[in-house]
Amino acid sequence: TVEQNGIQLLQSIGYQVRDAERILSPESGSVGSILTLQSGSGGINPTIIGVSSGSVILVQRSTRQTITSSQVAVESFVVENTSASAAQGSVLVRFRLSRTIRLQAPRKYVQSFEAVFRAFPVDAPRGDSCHCASPGCGGPTSYVWQVCNAGICETAQTQMQCP
């Protein structure tokens, strides 16, 4: 279960990064615990991936979903922006998944995962036509961003572990 969940999580994150126009956070050369991507589709812009209560959360625009199984816990979720330039975005994603098996003497199984993903941006980005404010932490457990609705930036937020 741990290996299967780890591989599925890497595939899901890889798909989101490859589909993105730009990597918004962490900034180039920086490390963080939340990955924010600019998408060309207003229906999923921005795409945010982070951790809340031991699970990886995917937020697209303002729709939130858990993308890890309840049978595993996510530890040490780290994103490093390895982009050479804003037009050629890439990120290193590293995390550990664990599962505790409840026996007479409980056993904890832990596996580490990491991968580098490259965004395949278009030459003329379309995302964020409103030029909304940059996303960021609104406190230690709150992430805040804006979505474009009919030309107006509206604030959205979710519970997520912020550095």
Side-chain angles (χ1 to χ4, degrees), residues 2 5 11 13 17-18 21 32 35 38 47 57 62-63 65 69 71 74 79 83 107 125 155:
V2 172
N5 273 270
Q11 289 173 338
I13 294 170
V17 173
R18 285 188 293 275
E21 289 182 338
L35 174 61
Q38 175 181 308
T47 295
I57 304 300
S62 56
T63 303
Q65 64 180 345
S69 167
Q71 296 180 350
V74 179
V79 180
S83 303
R107 301 282 183 203
T155 301

Side-chain angles (χ1 to χ4, degrees), residues 37-154:
L37 306 167
Q38 175 181 308
S39 170
S41 168
I44 62 171
N45 188 48
T47 295
I48 302 162
I49 301 170
V51 175
S52 179
S53 301
S55 298
V56 175
I57 304 300
L58 170 68
V59 178
Q60 293 183 304
R61 189 170 171 86
S62 56
T63 303
R64 173 188 162 122
Q65 64 180 345
T66 302
I67 58 173
T68 49
S69 167
S70 60
Q71 296 180 350
V72 297
V74 179
E75 304 170 356
S76 304
F77 186 83
V78 177
V79 180
E80 181 179 351
N81 188 330
T82 57
S83 303
S85 70
Q88 296 181 345
S90 64
V91 291
L92 167 65
V93 177
R94 181 181 306 127
F95 58 89
R96 288 189 332 220
L97 290 183
S98 67
R99 180 175 184 201
T100 301
I101 300 168
R102 309 225 184 272
L103 301 170
Q104 266 186 317
R107 301 282 183 203
K108 184 174 181 180
Y109 180 72
V110 180
Q111 182 68 42
S112 297
F113 298 87
E114 72 175 39
V116 175
F117 303 106
R118 184 164 184 256
F120 297 129
V122 293
D123 289 339
R126 297 180 318 233
D128 195 19
S129 58
C130 293
H131 304 289
C132 295
S134 296
C137 292
T141 60
S142 177
Y143 195 70
V144 181
W145 67 97
Q146 293 186 324
V147 295
C148 182
N149 277 329
I152 298 171
C153 293
E154 296 179 357

